[in-house]
Structures are given as C-alpha cells and as structure tokens.
Amino acid sequence: MQNYNVYASRLVPKREPFAPGHRACIGCGEALAVRLACKALPQNVIIANATGCMEVVSSQFPMTAWRMPWIHTLFENTAAVASGVESALKAMARKGKRPDTGTKVVAMAGDGGTSDIGIQALSGALERGHDFLYICFDNEAYMNTGIQRSSATPFGASTTTSPAGKMSIGQKTWKKNVPAIAAAHDIPYVATASHSYPFDLMAKVAKGVAMPGPAYIHINSVCPTGWRSAPDLSVRLGRLAVQTGVFPLYEIENGKYKLSMELPELKPVQDYLKLQGRFRHLSEDTIREIQQRVVEEYEKIKEKAQ
Ligand SMILES: Cc1ncc(C[n+]2csc(CCOP(=O)(O)OP(=O)(O)O)c2C)c(N)n1
Ligand code: SF4
C-alpha cells in the first residue's frame, strides 16, 4: 500500500526499452502503460504486438521505438504468434539448434484485439498452457481506427459507432470482463493494473512474465483522444478509475483472489465520469445506474478476495 501513489523516479529502472520519440498523442496513457511494462520485463524477451495504436505509433518505417525483439502481428492472431514463438524456442533448444537462454515471450494487444477479434487465439493459447505473458492495454475502444466501440467499451460511453443522441445513451452493453474469462481458463496468474499506479503495474508484469505457464494482465489505459479528456488529466483519471471502483486492481494467483489496494470508501463515479467528454450526455438516472453496477461488481471482487 505504501508504494502505490508515490512516484520516485530513482526506484524505476532507467533503461527505456520502449524508446521516447514515438508518435502517440499527448497524454497517451496507453504509451505510458507500455513504457512501464517494458521496464519491468527482462532483457531477453520477444514481443508479439497486435495492430493498434501502440504498433502504429511505434513502428513507422524506417524507425522503431522498440529496443527489444518485436514482431508485428495481425489483429486476430497475437496469442497464436506468441504461442508459436514460445514453442519454436523450446523445440530449437530440445533439438540442440539453439541454447536455452530462458527467453520470455510477451503478447501485447489493445482491448479490440483482445476482447473481440483476438479472443479465440487468446483462449486457445491459455488452454494449451503456453509459457507466455499476455498484456491487454485497455483504452476501451478501437482508438487507432477512429474511436469505434469494442466489447470493452463501458456502458454509456459515446463512440463513433455507439454515438449518444436523442435516441441513444451511447454504448448499450456493459464492459466485457476479460480478466474473468482469462481466469476461467485456470491459468496460474491473472491481474489488473493501471499506469497511474506504476509500482503496482511493474510488480505485476515482473511476476506475470516470471510465472511458468500462461499469465494475463489487463491494464487500464487512459486515451485522452477517445475519452475526450484533457491530456494532462490522464494520470488523475487512471487513479480515479481505481478509486471509484470502476477499475479495481487485483490479482488472481493460482485461483486465489487478492485485492491490490484497500479502499475504505469508493469515490463517487461522477468524479470520474465528469472529466470525460464521452460521458458528458449522461443523465443523473444513468449515472445512478452506473454507480450501482460499479459497487455491485466491486463487492463481488472483494468477496472473492476474502
Ligand atoms: C482483421 C482486421 N480488421 C480490422 C483491422 C483494422 N484495425 C487496425 S487497428 C484497429 C483498432 C485497434 O483497436 P484496439 O485493439 O482496441 O487497440 P487501440 O488502437 O485502441 O490501441 C482496427 C479495427 C485490422 N487491422 N484487421
Ligand atoms: S488515440 Fe489514444 S491510445 Fe491511441 S495514441 Fe492517441 S491517446 Fe494513445
């Protein structure tokens, strides 16, 4: 707890495997999350990265922000590519073609690539028990192609394909619970994290990548462009998502739930919603509905963690 909201730069590794100079928007929480995650990874790592913002902003030919072996994968097959790399490394070591250097494999994708089109490949890889870490950077829509709703878009958010208007409140379904889906595969490690709690995020990434077998980490990533929020509020918004219970931080280690922070009292969701233009149309009734749902979901996690 004592480390959660204190930022002390000297305690963070200085190396920047995700180099500055990429083309992410100002205040991009997803780029911050990737940067922190990469700092927590070992140096002998191979990354399989789906199409999406983080691939597009970091790899415009002839430049790259990746100071580590990195493969651009299709939107739909990131976990399958990671599985193939992991199996190939094992097979080459077994056949004596390459020494076993303990290279780790990490898959990275957005919420669209994870909760929608890549979920089949993800489920397959988790079920087969590949030794890899999958990280979903969840900015709650298909941001790279113009803010279309995904199944991880929260209820009531206005996006270009779930626009709010006279006849619609925006997104009509509740956010898909991908960490729960990953956990249902009985894998050794599942966690949620936020770029606004950097030490917690880095500890979880280090743990997930070291864990033998599949690990899944779902990272809340503020997107000022898609959330219609001020770029200088991204870190505050990430904290508010956690403090309101909208995005609880927890771990599931070998089936055992553990809350990462004690929250004696949840802040009102309105504190979080009002800073974002995508929720600006919501009525008091809808906000009450969201508040109720957030508390219910938070209580469920809390109960599991007891
Ligand atoms: C099969 C397929 N369909 C659509 C696209 C177009 N496409 C590229 S990136 C993207 C959105 C990515 O959204 P997400 O995974 O949430 O990542 P973000 O850009 O938000 O970080 C889409 C629809 C594609 N590359 N491949
Ligand atoms: S659209 Fe959003 S996620 Fe994509 S680079 Fe810009 S701020 Fe980051």
Side-chain angles (χ1 to χ4, degrees), residues 295-305:
V295 171
E296 274 169 22
E297 292 298 309
Y298 185 75
E299 289 301 322
K300 277 190 211 162
I301 303 255
K302 225 169 115 177
E303 216 169 279
K304 285 184 186 163

Side-chain angles (χ1 to χ4, degrees), residues 39-56:
K39 278 175 178 280
L41 292 175
Q43 267 159 325
N44 55 342
V45 73
I46 297 176
I47 295 183
N49 186 194
T51 299
C53 274
M54 288 308 105
E55 170 264 322
V56 167

Side-chain angles (χ1 to χ4, degrees), residues 30 51-54 75-76 110-113 117 139 141-145:
E30 191 160 309
T51 299
C53 274
M54 288 308 105
F75 208 37
E76 55 272 48
D111 52 288
I117 195 165
N139 57 18
Y142 294 75
M143 297 306 180
N144 173 55
T145 40

Side-chain angles (χ1 to χ4, degrees), residues 1 28 36 66 71 74 89 92 103 136 139 142 150 226 245 263 282:
M1 176 68 192
C28 176
L36 293 167
W66 299 93
I71 308 168
L74 295 179
L89 288 172
M92 284 194 291
T103 304
C136 171
N139 57 18
Y142 294 75
S150 78
L263 293 173
L282 295 183

